[in-house]
Every structure is written in structure tokens, then in C-alpha cells.
Amino acid sequence: MEKDYIQLKDKVSVVTGAASGIGYATAELLAEVGSKVILLDIDSEKGNQAAQNLRDKGYQVDFLKCDVTSSHDCQHVSEEINRKYGNVYVLFNNAGIIKRKTVVDLEEAEWDSVINVSLKGVYLLSKYIIPLMASGEGGSIINTGSGWGLKGGDKAAAYCAAKAGVVNLTKAMAIDHGPQNIRVNCICPGDTDTPLLRDEAKQLQLDEGAFLKDSAIDRPLARLGTPRDIAKGVLFLASDLSSWMTGTELVVDGGGLA
Ligand SMILES: NC(=O)c1ccc[n+]([C@@H]2O[C@H](COP(=O)([O-])OP(=O)(O)OC[C@H]3O[C@@H](n4cnc5c(N)ncnc54)[C@H](O)[C@@H]3O)[C@@H](O)[C@H]2O)c1
């Protein structure tokens, strides 16, 4: 009999920003290893379609609408999940947005929206989901940072601030919730081919093809990441393979930061 190193079968996973890109690929990979996955997203239409696609492949998934900047939504989905599933084992706090602007060019509302989705959202949903992990056997939280949470980047001031915040919030959460057998780690992707990356070209008024090529070339593996590349790192952090890892960040970027 094959050994199960992952140990996520029938455990409940919650993924934010799950209608697209990295969130969707991770929801799919978690479902492939037998986890029951709840997809959360602000976009109901895309989220319902994403869940339907995964159900069509035979996976156990649900979609719930959740704006991670809304305390009401985060509390509501946690109550729904508790009612239907009881405990949660994996929480992937992944929703994020980017505005490619300097502090001078950023409108205050743009600063607030980037910080609220990408950083405050991690706090808010964790606030309501951690009790559902602690009342079970514990679990694993993975927060999406970025290479730009570890170093600076151009014309992305609010995003760099939010992602650096996610990196250190991860460590604070790991310290607080280790005693509840909850591990908290951060995944730091490099440029990954998703709608978010392609939208950056638009925001910077650059040709999309040239922007994607430039983003790929400047790293040892000389290609963009796929959402599945990042999902594999998240699966590692979610699974028993990383059983003694907490409070750290995993860089998945084709060697870009090196
Ligand atoms: N793509 C990259 O190159 C890259 C690199 C580093 C980090 N990241 C991070 O990865 C994460 C996922 O990004 P992606 O590239 O898959 O983007 P994406 O745009 O493909 O997906 C993001 C999803 O988040 C959802 N979302 C936006 N605001 C939300 C909110 N308030 N509440 C709930 N859901 C919301 C969107 O509807 C969308 O489905 C983000 O945190 C992003 O910052 C991406």
C-alpha cells in the first residue's frame, strides 16, 4: 500500500481568492489529494463557476461569497462552514490586489484597498477561522506574501507594504497559535502567469507580451511561474510534509530572488 505523506484526505480546506489564478489552482490541488475544499471569493459568478468546474471533475467543493475586507462576510462564512463542516484544517489566505503606483501617485483610497484586501483580509478571516481549527486537531494556515514582501519593487508602494506586513504577521500568528497545534507559514511567489500579473502590464501601460517576457527572463529558471507551481508549494506547507515548519516563508519564484 502507498504511504500517504500528505495526510489531507477528508480534511476541510478554505481558500480565498479561489475563483482565479493561484487560489483556483491550489483549491484544485487540495481537492486532488482528497481534501474537502471551500472556495471563497468576492466574485460570486466566477467563484460559482470555479466550484462547478471542480465538482464536474468529481471533487468535493463548495463556493461561498466572501469579501475578505468585510468583517460581516468573514464571520458569516465561518458560521456557515462550522454548521456544515465543523472543523477546518487548512486556511489559505490568498486574496490580494495590486496597484502599480508610487506613494505620490497612489490615491488614498487605492492605498486603503490594497492594504485592506492583501493584509487586513488575512487578519479578518483568520480571526473567525482559527477557532474552527483550534476546536479540532489544529491545522495549517498559509498566507500569500510575495517576493515583494521580502524586497522592494518599483511602482508598487502599497503592495510592498502589505506583503511585508503579511510576512511578519505570519510570524506573529505562528507564535500565538503554535500552542493550539496551528502552524502558520507564508508562501512568497515570484511572477506567476495569472490575470493579476497581466493586469499589471495594463496598469503600467506596457505591451503585455513584452512585460511577461521581461518578467520571465530575469530569473535562473527563465520562465514565469504557473499557478500550479505555487499551488505545489502551498500543498507542501498545508501537508504533513512540513510538520515542523511554522513562522517561515517559502519562496517559489524560479530563483528570482537569488
Ligand atoms: N501573480 C503573481 O505574479 C503574484 C506574485 C506574487 C504574489 N501574488 C499574490 O498571489 C495572490 C493571488 O494572486 P493571483 O495572481 O492568483 O491573482 P488573481 O487576480 O488571478 O486572483 C485573485 C482573486 O482574488 C479575488 N479577490 C480580490 N479581492 C477580493 C476580496 N476583497 N475578497 C475576496 N476575494 C478577492 C479576485 O476576485 C480573484 O479571484 C495575491 O495575494 C497576489 O498578491 C501573485
Side-chain angles (χ1 to χ4, degrees):
M1 197 173 121
E2 280 175 33
K3 178 115 179 71
D4 177 13
Y5 294 104
I6 306 287
Q7 299 208 3
L8 291 176
K9 193 160 169 37
D10 292 329
K11 289 182 178 164
V12 174
S13 300
V14 176
V15 176
T16 74
S20 175
I22 293 167
Y24 178 75
T26 303
E28 180 166 30
L29 190 54
L30 287 165
E32 281 173 27
V33 298
S35 179
K36 297 176 186 167
V37 186
I38 298 139
L39 291 80
L40 304 183
D41 206 284
I42 194 172
D43 186 329
S44 298
E45 200 181 318
K46 277 178 71 182
N48 274 312
Q49 187 57 56
Q52 191 55 51
N53 292 346
L54 295 179
R55 275 194 294 269
D56 289 346
K57 294 184 180 183
Y59 301 131
Q60 307 177 74
V61 305
D62 262 343
F63 170 73
L64 294 173
K65 181 185 180 294
C66 178
D67 173 355
V68 295
T69 71
S70 158
S71 186
H72 170 272
D73 280 14
C74 291
Q75 185 167 10
H76 175 71
V77 297
S78 124
E79 286 165 2
E80 282 292 296
I81 292 166
N82 189 25
R83 195 176 52 74
K84 188 160 176 195
Y85 294 93
N87 304 127
V88 169
Y89 190 79
V90 175
L91 171 60
F92 182 31
N93 283 310
N94 165 72
I97 58 170
I98 190 166
K99 299 281 176 217
R100 292 299 307 265
K101 290 187 177 179
T102 67
V103 286
V104 172
D105 295 332
L106 272 167
E107 299 296 338
E108 191 177 341
E110 292 176 319
W111 168 273
D112 287 345
S113 68
V114 172
I115 299 289
N116 284 344
V117 179
S118 309
L119 177 57
K120 186 180 174 188
V122 176
Y123 143 69
L124 264 184
L125 190 63
S126 301
K127 176 180 172 68
Y128 293 107
I129 296 291
I130 284 174
L132 304 188
M133 302 178 103
S135 60
E137 58 181 300
S140 176
I141 299 176
I142 304 97
N143 299 324
T144 303
S146 167
W148 281 3
L150 301 170
K151 70 183 275 288
D154 65 304
K155 300 194 185 83
Y159 186 79
C160 291
K163 293 301 188 181
V166 169
V167 169
N168 211 31
L169 173 60
T170 297
K171 296 181 195 299
M173 289 168 63
I175 292 166
D176 289 338
H177 300 291
Q180 294 161 302
N181 199 33
I182 297 171
R183 299 185 295 110
V184 190
N185 292 290
C186 187
I187 186 117
C188 290
D191 290 333
T192 303
D193 194 357
T194 68
L196 178 143
L197 186 69
R198 287 169 183 258
D199 186 59
E200 287 181 55
K202 211 177 286 165
Q203 291 186 33
L204 293 165
Q205 296 177 319
L206 296 171
D207 173 71
E208 186 180 283
F211 174 75
L212 295 180
K213 200 170 161 208
D214 285 352
S215 305
I217 213 133
D218 195 23
R219 59 193 72 237
L221 295 184
R223 67 168 175 87
L224 293 177
T226 64
R228 182 97 173 171
D229 287 325
I230 310 304
K232 290 178 198 165
V234 180
L235 178 63
F236 168 70
L237 291 174
S239 79
D240 196 56
L241 287 172
S242 59
S243 54
W244 207 45
M245 287 177 67
T246 195
T248 193
E249 51 279 342
L250 181 65
V251 177
V252 183
D253 71 344
L257 276 188

